[in-house]
Amino acid sequence: MSVAPIGVLVMAYGTASGPDDIERYYTDIRGGRTPTPEHLAELQERYAAIGNIFPLLDTTRAQAEGIVERLNAGAGDGFRAYLGMKHSEPTIPDAIASMRADGVERAIGIVMAPHWSGMSVETYIERVVQATKEGGGGPAFTFIRSYHDHPAFIAFLSGRVAESLGRLTDDERASASVIFSAHSLPVRTLGDGTQRCTTCDCEDSCRYRDGLQETADLVAERLGLIDYLIAWQSAGRTSDPWWGPPIEDVIEELAISGRGAIVVCSAGFVADHLEILFDLDIEARGIAERAGTRFERTRMPNADPEYLDVLAAVVREHLVEVPAG
């Protein structure tokens, strides 16, 4: 009697498939509201500036396949990879329909974002739950909500930061600052002036912000970093305030203060896409270089075998620690 495979649903934000798909993609992100002609033209210019490449789907597929390849190593084919994107195909409901067709009874969901947030990770989970209900139930899911402090992930990021620092001259390294960044989120201001993510239910502080700080602290401890901080990037166009400080402001302030170099570790992202290739490699780099400061960015994880080892370890531990739902 054959045993049903365990499904591994790897989820990511989604991407336009090419220049002609940019309007459709951002309309979906905006809940059906089409970007203004001015905003659309700006987006098209940004993609053109990075060579009109749209690598996220292929990268996420390679990540999913790489995780399952490691889980199945020496153990047959007990795991099967599925891909679910939030704003493009294949969608999360598509993936769950495929799981049912393949006879999957148990599944693990993991979002390609190391830090938990109610506006990011939890919204993927909500889509999975809705899709299983609408399809008549099943598979039984459990979810990996965060791995921002996993020792293997910290070791991986530490290696990337050390690699970037190693590209600096001795003088640059002596006065370098390391910025750990993640995607900004909209916030609400409370009566006492404090801010929280708009969907965050944390009572004392924001788990998303604190998670990024914890990642930064753990990497800094491992490498002996003294001059490091966190900042936020790629804020959206809404009337709400967004988490700050913006990375652009931080880079400018550090450059003015005489830092010999700035190293950015975009710890909240795991793949190359517009927020990395334009927001950091073009905009952030330009701010630093115009101020006369060396700019370096850590290589993104993408489908690096070492990173896939990290993700496979996270999934294995989850299977042991969390019973099937």
Side-chain angles (χ1 to χ4, degrees), residues 157 161 164-165 176-182 212-213 215-217 219-220 225-233 245-255 259 261-268 280 284-285 287-288 293-298:
L157 282 188
V161 173
S164 292
L165 289 169
S177 288
V178 179
I179 303 173
F180 295 87
S181 69
L212 179 61
Q213 185 67 61
T215 298
D217 290 343
V219 172
L225 301 179
I226 297 174
D227 193 344
Y228 72 97
L229 66 165
I230 66 171
W232 304 93
Q233 65 172 89
I247 193 169
E248 298 87 354
D249 293 352
V250 172
I251 289 173
E252 190 167 18
E253 291 168 4
L254 290 173
R259 297 300 197 280
I262 294 169
V263 173
V264 174
C265 174
S266 194
L280 293 185
R285 180 184 299 277
I287 292 169
T293 300
R294 172 84 174 267
F295 179 93
E296 287 288 341
R297 171 178 68 78
T298 56

Side-chain angles (χ1 to χ4, degrees), residues 46 49-50 276-287:
R46 289 179 172 231
I50 64 171
I276 304 300
L277 302 175
F278 186 88
D279 294 359
L280 293 185
D281 288 356
I282 295 178
E283 284 196 330
R285 180 184 299 277
I287 292 169

Side-chain angles (χ1 to χ4, degrees), residues 17-287:
S17 60
D20 294 339
D21 193 40
I22 293 173
E23 183 174 1
R24 191 280 317 162
Y25 173 58
Y26 281 91
T27 299
D28 194 82
I29 289 174
R30 291 160 52 86
R33 294 180 293 111
T34 304
T36 65
E38 295 78 15
H39 187 200
L40 179 59
E42 180 184 338
L43 290 166
Q44 291 169 333
E45 289 173 2
R46 289 179 172 231
Y47 278 105
I50 64 171
N52 274 326
I53 59 172
F54 303 82
L56 186 63
L57 179 60
D58 288 341
T59 300
T60 309
R61 180 176 288 111
Q63 290 170 334
E65 292 172 353
I67 294 169
V68 167
E69 179 182 351
R70 283 156 177 77
L71 295 174
N72 284 334
D77 57 355
F79 295 87
R80 193 167 297 177
Y82 298 87
L83 192 63
M85 311 299 272
K86 195 174 184 181
H87 295 291
S88 59
E89 296 181 345
T91 67
I92 291 171
D94 290 341
I96 293 172
S98 294
M99 286 184 172
R100 289 197 192 97
D102 292 342
V104 173
E105 298 174 358
R106 181 182 181 185
I108 297 96
I110 181 170
V111 180
M112 291 295 97
H115 304 82
W116 181 90
S117 166
M119 287 195 69
S120 59
V121 172
E122 213 61 31
T123 61
Y124 290 87
I125 295 172
E126 290 168 0
R127 292 191 183 211
V128 172
V129 172
Q130 180 180 358
T132 55
K133 287 181 179 178
E134 291 177 351
F141 269 91
T142 58
F143 299 97
I144 296 166
R145 283 177 160 83
S146 172
Y147 58 93
H148 72 276
D149 58 348
H150 192 284
F153 182 60
I154 297 303
F156 175 82
L157 282 188
S158 298
R160 290 295 165 95
V161 173
E163 177 186 69
S164 292
L165 289 169
R167 291 195 290 267
L168 306 178
T169 67
D170 290 344
D171 288 343
E172 289 169 339
R173 195 179 306 113
S175 60
S177 288
V178 179
I179 303 173
F180 295 87
S181 69
H183 202 302
S184 184
L185 292 177
V187 298
R188 56 190 174 93
T189 303
L190 305 183
D192 60 1
T194 60
Q195 292 183 324
R196 295 181 186 169
C197 295
T198 53
T199 62
C200 185
D201 60 356
C202 307
E203 296 180 358
D204 300 318
S205 60
C206 174
R207 283 174 57 188
Y208 183 57
R209 182 193 63 206
D210 293 350
L212 179 61
Q213 185 67 61
E214 186 174 11
T215 298
D217 290 343
L218 289 168
V219 172
E221 180 181 9
R222 187 179 180 95
L223 294 179
L225 301 179
I226 297 174
D227 193 344
Y228 72 97
L229 66 165
I230 66 171
W232 304 93
Q233 65 172 89
S234 310
R237 291 169 172 255
T238 70
S239 58
D240 297 319
W242 287 61
W243 272 129
I247 193 169
E248 298 87 354
D249 293 352
V250 172
I251 289 173
E252 190 167 18
E253 291 168 4
L254 290 173
I256 291 172
S257 70
R259 297 300 197 280
I262 294 169
V263 173
V264 174
C265 174
S266 194
F269 295 93
V270 300
D272 285 316
H273 44 62
L274 191 68
E275 285 82 354
I276 304 300
L277 302 175
F278 186 88
D279 294 359
L280 293 185
D281 288 356
I282 295 178
E283 284 196 330
R285 180 184 299 277
I287 292 169

